[in-house]
Amino acid sequence: MAINAYDNCPCGSGKKAKWCCSPYFDTVELAIDQQQQGQHDAALRTMNDLTKAHGDRPQVWCYFANILAAEGKTEEAEEALQKALSLQPDFAMANLLRGYFRLQEGEVIGALLLFRKAADAYSPDAAPQLANVYELIARQETLMNHPVASRAAMERAIHFNPADPELKAQYEGIFGDEARLPSAARKKYSFRATGRPLPPGADTGKLSDAKKALDALAKQFPSDAAALFNLGLIHAWLGENGPAIVQLSKSLELEADDFRAEETGALLEVLKCADGALDDTDFVEHRIVLPIRDGDAVFKLLQVMEQERRLLGAQVDEQNGIFSALIVEELPSLLDTGTVMGKVVANIMVGQGAIRLWHVNQESVERIAVEMRDRVTLAVGEPVPGIGPVNFADIGLEAVAYPLRAASAEEAEKKMSEHAERYLNDVLPGKSFKALNGATPIDAVGSTLLRKKLLGLLRFLEDCLDSSAPRKRGPEGGTASIRFYDFDKVRHKLGLTMAAADAPAPVATSAKRDLSAMNAAELGSLPMDDLTLVELEDAMRAAIKLQSHELAVAFARTGAARPIDAEKADRYPFFATMMTGAVAMGNNEEALKALNEGNAWDAAHNSAQRANEYGLRTAALYAKMNEPEKSVEAFDAVIDRHPGEGNLYVKAAETMLSIRNGAKARYFAEKGLTKAKSLGNRDLQGACEELLAAAKKLM
């Protein structure tokens, strides 16, 4: 079918066909028809003759390259494209076809570069071609784990082809409100106002031209946080994550507004989760491949793991012969409520001759690989480890527990919330992060720059946790993540009160009594003399979790000094904290004094219910002070009260071994061995025999 002379030319030049390919396009169509009818030699002769008649047109060489590629003559097709580029070095169609060839060879990065060259070279009037090339770019950026660049490219594709419902549906599925990408990775970022005019060329509609203009502006105003952010953002839209990270990091250092700093910091974390920046991110995918030698043995293992309730969400792709699931471990619970929770310890995929395991936690996936290999012995080969870009949904796995068996949906959500709260309140604040230059969130809040990085890190983690959380259908249709933890709690606990650069100073409010949610500053401002003993202990524990040790000891001293009343007779937590604080300060005598005072209080007011705890702590402290005789005396006093508790002999012997006193270790090992034989306790006997052997080596 002949092209309409007044339609845009299919080559993408932006000209009307009459003044571009119309004079010879019927010959191109003839060659295509010949090829489709199996007349391969005739098609090649037709195109060869066309190049002789119109060899000065780069389009002709591109059409010829298409025919050659379809015939499997890749090298000759590349030569034809090279001739097209020699006639017009930036010819869009030639770069597009070269990109296709690189893609077929598996060279994603090379293909992307050529697709972007083509996008820059196409005329703005070549809407179908531009829609196609931007869709290609979006796909490859997705494979590169570049969601920001992928969204920008897909938006351009929709701009040039707004009537394509499939394209819009694909866009909504990846970047819409119900998409699984975290908000920081799928949101629509926009430029920030600088109050400065952009240099010429910024409004051509081409991202490459905008990048040049923004680069010039950033060089002219190197202390303008907004200008640096805009330059970093345009790099991110172009898939240039390395330069984007550099510019956004500079912008973050200069940013005075907490909300803009949070957005910049979260965007930085997104960009680091891609190839090329894995050394700088806290979130990578640790992978282990186990080659399969005996498929039947592996299949039987999977069946056993299914029976053990170790597999969650198992799926079988029968067409491709692939099995996939989550490997979970049941979380211990003191009370049986009918709900059993588990945490994901690895993702597994079995097929194509191998077991593939992956997880964000390296130790976790390595442990599962060792377990599976041990259980099938020679059925799998040596493990092959590796790392790669992380799946954003996996980043929140350590804070998520899934119901393996649930008494009710409400009970399951409650358990999920409790697990997330324990991780985010107790573990996260003391965990070091590359994003914070190796510091912990607790330490980062005291640094101006690290505090801004922490704002972004927490926003990113919150978005990732939200994206990986289970979903439920809302009353008005659609689905939403189950929000089982409020990140503002951990922000508040860390003292991260956010404010805009021009915001007024916050108005002081009355002190909250939810002591576990307070940050160090709020705990320190509490009037200790007005707190009850229960509140003092809660405040002390909150301070310990925040690693505010001096503050914790202050609460402990206040609690220990309270006169006896019916409120709380057991003061062991206070005296134990005082002892621990004194040891940390290197004051062992003060620590011993705290233990002695606590032991005396316990005997006088608490029926000596904590005598064992005080005795064991005293024995350990004397050992630390290198006074073995006093340590032995303290251990013996505890053992004499409870001679049938085998773990006491073991603990005493291990303590003596830790200070390399073989004679005292032998004393407790032999004492425990005698007791084990009299009780017929083989486990205790074996442990004491091992300790005795270790003690003799030191003598």
Side-chain angles (χ1 to χ4, degrees):
M1 180 179 177
I3 56 175
N4 188 312
Y6 295 98
D7 284 345
N8 284 337
C9 189
C11 74
S13 65
K15 301 176 183 177
K16 300 300 181 184
K18 180 178 180 179
W19 291 284
C20 193
C21 294
S22 182
Y24 49 79
F25 197 75
D26 57 343
T27 305
V28 175
E29 290 187 315
L30 172 62
I32 294 172
D33 288 341
Q34 289 171 331
Q35 188 177 58
Q36 291 176 346
Q37 294 170 17
Q39 302 172 24
H40 304 293
D41 291 340
L44 292 174
R45 283 196 301 271
T46 298
M47 289 305 301
N48 194 48
D49 291 342
L50 183 61
T51 60
K52 292 176 181 178
H54 296 280
D56 60 336
R57 306 298 300 272
Q59 294 93 325
V60 168
W61 290 104
C62 289
Y63 294 134
F64 192 19
N66 245 335
I67 297 290
L68 288 166
E71 293 294 325
K73 299 178 180 295
T74 306
E75 290 187 11
E76 294 176 46
E78 291 276 11
E79 291 174 3
L81 292 178
Q82 196 56 49
K83 288 181 180 179
L85 291 169
S86 66
L87 294 169
Q88 187 174 331
D90 63 345
F91 192 60
M93 190 179 182
N95 282 315
L96 175 63
L97 292 174
R98 289 179 72 204
Y100 274 123
F101 293 163
R102 298 293 82 75
L103 203 58
Q104 291 170 357
E105 296 165 0
E107 295 184 22
V108 175
I109 296 177
L112 257 175
L113 291 172
L114 290 165
F115 290 153
R116 288 200 178 276
K117 276 188 177 182
D120 268 355
Y122 272 123
S123 165
D125 295 326
Q129 290 80 7
L130 282 166
N132 175 55
V133 74
Y134 275 116
E135 187 177 358
L136 285 168
I137 289 170
R139 289 179 188 171
Q140 309 322 309
E141 295 291 8
T142 297
L143 291 176
M144 298 281 290
N145 215 29
H146 292 173
V148 179
S150 179
R151 173 171 181 146
M154 198 165 285
E155 285 177 344
R156 298 294 289 168
I158 293 173
H159 169 76
F160 288 110
N161 189 10
D164 187 343
E166 187 176 334
L167 189 60
K168 288 183 177 179
Q170 184 181 0
Y171 175 83
E172 283 299 316
I174 301 174
F175 302 106
D177 292 339
E178 295 188 18
R180 275 298 192 180
L181 275 176
S183 177
R186 62 179 166 82
K187 69 181 291 187
K188 184 176 180 64
Y189 289 95
S190 57
F191 290 139
R192 293 174 182 170
T194 63
R196 310 178 194 279
L198 285 175
D203 56 353
T204 64
K206 295 182 179 180
L207 293 179
S208 57
D209 290 341
K211 183 179 75 171
K212 292 176 185 177
L214 291 171
D215 183 52
L217 188 67
K219 288 178 179 176
Q220 186 178 1
F221 302 101
S223 297
D224 190 322
L228 292 168
F229 176 87
N230 295 344
L231 178 57
L233 183 57
I234 200 78
H235 277 299
W237 283 343
L238 286 165
E240 299 167 354
N241 282 21
I245 290 170
V246 171
Q247 299 304 327
L248 291 171
S249 297
K250 291 179 181 178
S251 173
L252 185 63
E253 291 180 14
L254 297 167
E255 186 57 69
D257 183 288
D258 281 348
F259 296 96
R260 290 195 293 264
E262 180 187 58
E263 181 184 52
T264 305
L267 176 55
L268 275 167
E269 293 307 309
V270 171
L271 299 179
K272 290 176 183 178
C273 291
D275 269 325
L278 298 184
D279 290 339
D280 299 323
T281 181
D282 294 283
F283 313 105
V284 299
E285 184 175 278
H286 296 277
R287 306 163 176 171
I288 294 180
V289 177
L290 297 168
I292 297 175
R293 294 172 177 165
D294 183 348
D296 289 340
V298 171
F299 179 70
K300 288 178 182 177
L301 173 60
L302 293 174
Q303 287 182 316
V304 173
M305 293 179 73
E306 180 75 38
Q307 293 167 1
E308 296 171 342
R309 294 193 305 187
R310 296 285 305 283
L311 300 179
L312 187 66
Q315 295 182 342
V316 178
D317 181 350
E318 294 183 359
Q319 182 176 354
N320 296 305
I322 294 176
F323 170 87
S324 61
L326 301 175
I327 300 178
V328 296
E329 285 184 354
E330 185 176 316
L331 293 171
S333 178
L334 296 177
L335 297 175
D336 185 4
T337 62
T339 297
V340 177
M341 306 298 291
K343 66 176 182 178
V344 176
V345 291
N347 297 269
I348 182 171
M349 184 171 71
V350 182
Q352 300 176 344
I355 299 173
R356 291 170 175 81
L357 301 166
W358 68 94
H359 197 273
V360 290
N361 186 305
Q362 182 178 1
E363 181 182 344
S364 178
V365 75
E366 287 176 348
R367 180 165 48 83
I368 295 300
V370 169
E371 177 196 340
M372 295 192 71
R373 193 156 182 261
D374 288 346
R375 294 180 72 172
V376 296
T377 58
L378 299 178
V380 295
E382 290 290 329
V384 180
I387 64 169
V390 70
N391 182 334
F392 290 106
D394 288 347
I395 289 174
L397 281 179
E398 291 188 282
V400 178
Y402 291 96
L404 306 182
R405 186 178 73 243
S408 66
E410 293 75 15
E411 177 71 12
E413 286 188 30
K414 177 185 176 185
K415 293 288 186 183
M416 291 173 67
S417 178
E418 290 172 353
H419 178 79
E421 187 159 347
R422 279 194 297 271
Y423 176 79
L424 295 169
N425 275 6
D426 301 341
V427 178
L428 182 69
K431 185 177 179 180
S432 63
F433 287 91
K434 290 181 180 180
L436 306 176
N437 299 350
T440 66
I442 289 174
D443 294 330
V445 292
S447 162
T448 301
L449 175 59
L450 294 184
R451 179 183 174 280
K452 290 186 283 188
K453 291 184 176 183
L454 178 58
L455 290 172
L457 175 64
L458 291 178
R459 169 54 58 194
F460 176 70
L461 289 173
E462 181 175 7
D463 288 348
C464 289
L465 183 59
D466 184 49
S467 71
S468 64
R471 298 198 169 187
K472 62 181 179 181
R473 188 164 296 279
E476 299 180 1
T479 61
S481 297
I482 299 173
R483 300 302 298 269
F484 47 82
Y485 182 76
D486 182 0
F487 258 76
D488 284 342
K489 290 182 179 179
V490 73
R491 290 188 182 94
H492 179 76
K493 194 164 188 176
L494 292 168
L496 281 174
T497 304
M498 294 176 62
D502 55 354
V507 179
T509 59
S510 59
K512 298 180 180 179
R513 304 306 282 188
D514 183 5
L515 305 180
S516 64
M518 289 186 175
N519 55 49
E522 290 172 323
L523 288 171
S525 66
L526 291 172
M528 295 189 187
D529 291 339
D530 294 341
L531 298 179
T532 66
L533 277 172
V534 173
E535 288 176 327
L536 282 168
E537 185 173 344
D538 288 344
M540 178 189 74
R541 295 187 187 282
I544 291 172
K545 288 181 180 179
L546 292 170
Q547 298 183 22
S548 297
H549 302 300
E550 292 184 7
L551 185 57
V553 171
F555 284 119
R557 285 178 177 154
T558 303
R562 286 285 175 86
I564 182 65
D565 58 22
E567 182 188 1
K568 191 175 178 64
D570 185 10
R571 303 290 172 85
Y572 174 75
F574 297 130
F575 287 106
T577 299
M578 291 165 59
M579 183 277 286
T580 303
V583 170
M585 296 293 291
N587 193 338
N588 292 332
E589 294 297 333
E590 186 66 26
L592 188 60
K593 178 183 176 183
L595 286 176
N596 290 335
E597 290 178 354
N599 194 28
W601 173 279
D602 194 61
H605 306 294
N606 197 36
S607 305
Q609 293 185 39
R610 296 283 196 165
N612 280 1
E613 286 95 327
Y614 282 114
L616 292 175
R617 281 183 174 268
T618 301
L621 182 57
Y622 274 129
K624 181 180 179 64
M625 296 168 66
N626 200 27
E627 295 189 32
E629 296 295 340
K630 292 183 178 180
S631 180
V632 168
E633 183 181 347
F635 272 124
D636 272 339
V638 177
I639 291 172
D640 289 345
R641 286 195 297 270
H642 303 279
E645 291 191 13
N647 65 306
L648 296 177
Y649 302 95
V650 173
K651 185 171 184 63
E654 287 177 340
T655 300
M656 293 302 121
L657 286 174
S658 70
I659 61 173
R660 306 190 66 77
N661 192 316
K664 303 300 184 187
R666 178 175 181 174
Y667 165 73
F668 284 114
E670 289 178 340
K671 194 171 182 178
L673 190 57
T674 301
K675 177 57 68 174
K677 290 178 179 179
S678 70
L679 296 173
N681 188 331
R682 292 186 178 181
D683 290 338
L684 177 59
Q685 182 176 338
C688 289
E689 286 173 348
E690 290 181 8
L691 291 168
L692 182 58
K696 289 179 178 179
K697 289 181 180 179
L698 291 177
M699 295 179 66

